[in-house]
Every structure is written in structure tokens, then in C-alpha cells.
Amino acid sequence: MIVVHHLNNSRSQRILWLLEELELPYEVRRYQRDTATMLAPAELLAIHPLGKSPVITDGANTVAESGAIIEYLLECYGSGRLIPPPGSPERLRYRYWLHFAEGSMMPMLLLQLVFDRIQVAPVPFLVRPIARGIAGKVSARFIRPNLQRQMDFLERELGSREWFAGDEFSAADIQMSFPVEAARSRGGLDQDRPRLMRFLQRIHARPAYQRALAAGGPYAFAS
Ligand SMILES: N[C@@H](CCC(=O)N[C@@H](CS)C(=O)NCC(=O)O)C(=O)O
């Protein structure tokens, strides 16, 4: 039995969604973030040395890292579903987005979260203007322009096809959902990028997405 070690409000939601799209049986084991630090509880360290979520166990296999989990599940149980045919342009784009989500976009969104927090963090009075000044400049000169460029790129890409890899929905869309949802919640994504907004509406309407929400419990991006 596939066991999803699911941290509330996390990237793990994507794995539940993939399993629902594939209509595979699975069990959810729940872990709660510390409400002050938002970190995962120590019990997750017993599953994988980094103690992050998602992580799945499947018999003797333990698989961490969302992209690797998606590849593993499709390879073992996908029967060719949710992945474009090998050698096709769609397959190349599929691979690109599978990596882009965690390799390029999530780091920028995470940097933004950290630097935004520095700007409001309780810092000793004397160093406060320095800390806030540096954080503000990094955000304005590096993080926000990069995020804007990434979102413009995604918006253009969705202009030439229905989904990220091609005209068929694929697991690349599942992987891309988290950065797009995070961009909507705190990265400045709004109606000025109508294709990305429509992407969110379309994924939220999928029955498997909704079943995964019910399985995973309260989720920040649920609305
Ligand atoms: N690139 C990894 C990121 C894993 C990750 O950072 N997960 C977050 C949840 S979204 C986590 O476990 N945070 C809790 C912590 O760092 O203690 C993946 O996609 O699986």
C-alpha cells in the first residue's frame, strides 16, 4: 500500500492529487506543522533523513522530493497516463516543467517569503533600518523582477497550448500547481495574467483535485 506522509498545507497536496487522478488506493498519514515556526514535526525525520514532506513509502521503497515521487508513481502505476509519449515535444516540455517548478520557481517564491518576513521581523532597534534596507533592496532588485519574469513566461507559454506540456493535462500541471498557487497567494499573480488565473480555475474544478483536498485536510490554497 502506498502511504503518503502528508504535512498539512504543503506540497504533499500534489501527491494526493496525483494519486486521485490515477485512482490508486493509498493511505494518508498526517503530520502537523508547528504553528509558530511552520516547520514539520520531528516524526517525519523517522521516515526520511531530511524530515520534509512530501515523502511516500511503498513497501520497501521510501521516496522523497515531489518530482521524484511523481516520476516513481507514474513509472510504477501510471500505465502511460498523465505523461506524454517518449520522444514527443510534449514529453520534453513535460520534463522541463517538472523540474522548473521546484528548481526555479519555488526557490524564488521561498526567497520572497523569507525576505518579506525579514522586513517585518522584530529586529533590535539599532540594526532595524539596516536589516530592512537590505531586505527591501534584495526583494526589489532581485526577487520581484525574477518572479515577474517567470510569471510572464508562464503566461506566454499557456498562450500556445491548453496545459503546460501540451493540449492534454499531465502530471507537469500537478507539479506546476503549487508554484502557481503560491504566486497567486503571495507572489503578485492576479487578473493581469488571465491564462494563469484560468489555469487555477481549471485545476480547482477537477474532481480529483477536490477529492485530494478532502483527503489532505485544510489547505491554504483551497479557495
Ligand atoms: N523540493 C522539495 C521541498 C520539500 C519541502 O520543503 N517541503 C516543505 C513543505 S511544502 C516542508 O516539509 N516544510 C517543513 C520543514 O521544512 O520543516 C519537494 O518538492 O518535495
Side-chain angles (χ1 to χ4, degrees):
M1 171 70 100
I2 298 164
V3 179
V4 182
H5 299 271
H6 177 71
L7 183 67
N8 64 306
N9 256 328
S10 80
R11 289 157 166 95
S12 177
Q13 193 61 44
R14 287 184 295 206
I15 304 304
L16 301 178
W17 179 20
L18 174 66
L19 288 161
E20 289 292 342
E21 291 280 352
L22 293 173
E23 298 185 314
L24 292 173
Y26 64 93
E27 179 191 325
V28 183
R29 247 169 245 169
R30 293 170 193 283
Y31 302 80
Q32 291 297 318
R33 290 178 186 269
D34 181 298
T35 48
T37 65
M38 296 305 283
L39 294 176
E43 297 102 277
L44 262 178
L45 285 166
I47 312 299
H48 184 276
L50 297 183
K52 305 270 179 202
S53 178
V55 58
I56 64 163
T57 44
D58 181 24
N61 295 328
T62 300
V63 192
E65 197 65 45
S66 337
I69 297 171
I70 289 174
E71 288 196 282
Y72 171 84
L73 290 173
L74 290 186
E75 196 176 302
C76 295
Y77 305 106
S79 310
R81 290 171 294 167
L82 300 184
I83 183 166
S88 61
E90 287 81 5
R91 180 65 161 256
L92 188 55
R93 284 197 292 263
Y94 166 90
R95 178 171 292 128
Y96 176 77
W97 295 116
L98 205 65
H99 289 273
F100 172 87
E102 287 297 319
S104 291
M105 196 158 174
M106 281 314 296
M108 212 49 76
L109 285 157
L110 194 61
L111 271 178
Q112 190 197 7
L113 184 69
V114 170
F115 277 84
D116 282 354
R117 281 192 186 161
I118 291 174
Q119 293 194 59
V120 293
V123 177
F125 180 72
L126 286 178
V127 290
R128 195 176 300 156
I130 301 168
R132 290 188 179 168
I134 293 172
K137 281 201 175 98
V138 174
S139 195
R141 292 187 188 166
F142 178 72
I143 304 171
R144 286 183 191 280
N146 268 290
L147 263 178
Q148 293 298 319
R149 193 179 304 163
Q150 289 179 338
M151 288 190 289
D152 287 344
F153 172 46
L154 303 190
E155 181 72 12
R156 274 199 310 276
E157 286 289 299
L158 287 181
S160 55
R161 65 191 83 94
E162 285 288 300
W163 296 99
F164 277 105
D167 286 334
E168 300 288 322
F169 175 80
S170 78
D173 299 299
I174 297 180
Q175 179 76 332
M176 282 299 292
S177 66
F178 196 83
V180 177
E181 290 190 308
R184 170 74 182 126
S185 136
R186 55 183 154 83
L189 171 59
D190 60 19
Q191 302 297 343
D192 289 344
R193 293 188 180 85
R195 293 177 191 130
L196 284 172
M197 296 297 286
R198 174 99 185 97
F199 169 79
L200 289 176
Q201 280 171 1
R202 290 162 79 211
I203 62 171
H204 294 165
R206 291 183 77 86
Y209 182 99
Q210 291 166 11
R211 289 198 301 274
L213 281 185
Y219 185 46
F221 303 137
S223 60

